[in-house]
Every structure is written in C-alpha cells, then in structure tokens.
Amino acid sequence: MKKEVELRKAKWLVEPGCVVMVTSGTVDKANVMTFSWQTPVNTADPCLIVLAISHVRYSYELIRQNNELVINVPGEELLEQVHWVGQVTGRNVDKFKASGLTPVPAKVVAPPLIEECAGHLECRVKDVFGMETHDLLVCEVVRALAEAESFDGMWIPEKFHTLHYLCGNRYGVMERSVEAQGTT
Ligand SMILES: Cc1cc2nc3c(=O)[nH]c(=O)nc-3n(C[C@H](O)[C@H](O)[C@H](O)COP(=O)(O)O)c2cc1C
C-alpha cells in the first residue's frame, strides 16, 4: 500500500546526496554552513556542481562577494558539527572557533578547507540562476582533494561513512556498497 505525501514534503522522497559543509570568505574571516541541496552535473570537463542556497544565509553574502567557495565532505564522526553549523548563522558567531573545526588555506581560492573533512572541492561560481527564495549557483570545480585511503575514484563506504540528510535532525550513514552484475 502506498500513501499520498503532502507536496511540501515531497522533496524528502529524493535524498539529495551526501551532506557537505561549504566554506566562504577568507582564511582570516571564514564562514561555514551545512548543505544538502546540491548536485553534481553529469559533465566531465569542466566539473560542475549546482548548489541551491537561500538568499538569507550569511554564506550567500560572502560567496557573492568573490564568487568562490569550498565544498567539504564530512564523515559520520562530524555529525554534531554538521548539524550545528547548519542551525546557527555566522553573522554574529565565529562558527570555526565555536565548533572546533580547523580552517586551512586552499590552493586556488580564498575560502579555507576544513581540515577535519575527508574531501574538498575548491570552486568558482560560474553562473547564477535566481529563484524567489533561493539562487542556484553553478560552481566550477578548480581543484579537488580526497583522503587517499577512503577514496579510489569513489568513496569506499566500508572505510568512510558519508552523511545523508533524511529530515529534521535525522541523517542516514553510508556504510556499504553493492555491485550490480549486469553489463556496465
Ligand atoms: C543538513 C542540513 C542541510 C542544509 N542544506 C541547506 C541547503 O542546501 N541550502 C541552504 O540554503 N541552507 C541549507 N541548510 C541551512 C543552513 O546550513 C543554515 O541556515 C546555516 O545556519 C546558514 O549559515 P550562515 O547564515 O552562517 O550562512 C541546511 C541545514 C542542515 C542542517
């Protein structure tokens, strides 16, 4: 038996990919926010990722100042920090200091990487599509970095557990992969 789902809750049927932490600003004045509404576009060169960001976020202001950001991939062990930086605005609080996350300089862009995360995508905003409450930022990845023992062309879920946003304060944890037997 299937049940009707209210349209305002329909988005929760399509889990949007691993939760990430996006850094903006500069190493000296950095901010971090949690994201789950992002998707890679299936293009190889350039590598593009679309982020949906609300206009009211402090990060939105910072990102639009220099059109640069870093997408950081946290593991399960960062659950509490992930949830907290996704609840509090950086307008009045230094979220790096308060959460104990460590900003380290990126190579190509101004915003820092988060040391405790296992993957990093340094990005420049290439295009912006405005919507009523959110903008879609089309980001070009200009440098990518991943923890060598957890990533060999894909995350190895037996070694590194990405978080997946379910709703409210519930997260799923990626713990295993399965292999299809058909032709690839
Ligand atoms: C799991 C999770 C996912 C989130 N995804 C998004 C998102 O994709 N886009 C967005 O605009 N806000 C998202 N948020 C909300 C922001 O992270 C939150 O409002 C944050 O406090 C903004 O910080 P800032 O004002 O310092 O930029 C998410 C929050 C959580 C907890």
Side-chain angles (χ1 to χ4, degrees):
M1 187 184 125
K2 287 173 191 153
K3 63 178 184 185
E4 293 288 334
V5 177
E6 287 174 69
L7 292 185
R8 66 186 181 90
K9 294 188 175 166
K11 67 181 179 191
W12 298 112
L13 269 76
V14 281
E15 188 262 311
C18 70
V19 171
V20 297
M21 293 160 110
V22 168
T23 45
S24 51
T26 60
V27 177
D28 297 331
K29 196 174 184 303
N31 192 38
V32 50
M33 78 172 259
T34 304
F35 253 92
S36 60
W37 311 108
Q38 84 279 343
T39 182
V41 180
N42 197 9
T43 53
D45 186 18
C47 172
L48 299 175
I49 297 181
V50 178
L51 303 177
I53 183 168
S54 159
H55 302 151
V56 303
R57 312 284 182 241
Y58 179 49
S59 301
Y60 176 82
E61 246 175 79
L62 293 179
I63 291 168
R64 296 301 281 141
Q65 278 171 20
N66 59 7
N67 282 317
E68 293 184 343
L69 56 94
V70 179
I71 297 172
N72 300 273
V73 184
E76 181 186 5
E77 65 287 352
L78 293 181
L79 172 64
E80 291 305 325
Q81 287 97 326
V82 162
H83 197 61
W84 186 77
V85 303
Q87 308 289 313
V88 174
T89 178
R91 271 203 179 81
N92 322 307
V93 181
D94 180 338
K95 288 199 258 182
F96 270 99
K97 271 208 182 113
S99 64
L101 294 169
T102 316
V104 293
K107 204 165 180 179
V108 184
V109 299
L113 315 180
I114 302 173
E115 171 80 14
E116 291 79 6
C117 288
H120 313 276
L121 301 169
E122 297 184 28
C123 299
R124 290 212 176 93
V125 178
K126 227 182 133 153
D127 255 313
V128 178
F129 295 93
M131 297 190 299
E132 210 168 297
T133 57
H134 287 63
D135 272 5
L136 296 181
L137 307 180
V138 181
C139 303
E140 177 173 353
V141 179
V142 292
R143 182 181 178 228
L145 205 63
E147 202 70 65
E149 63 172 34
S150 311
F151 187 90
D152 68 353
M154 62 177 201
W155 289 118
I156 307 165
E158 290 77 10
K159 292 192 175 165
F160 176 68
H161 299 165
T162 49
L163 288 167
H164 298 259
Y165 195 34
L166 295 178
C167 188
N169 49 8
R170 302 288 302 179
Y171 294 77
V173 177
M174 177 83 84
E175 287 189 325
R176 70 187 180 101
S177 62
V178 290
E179 193 171 359
Q181 295 307 310
T183 347
T184 47

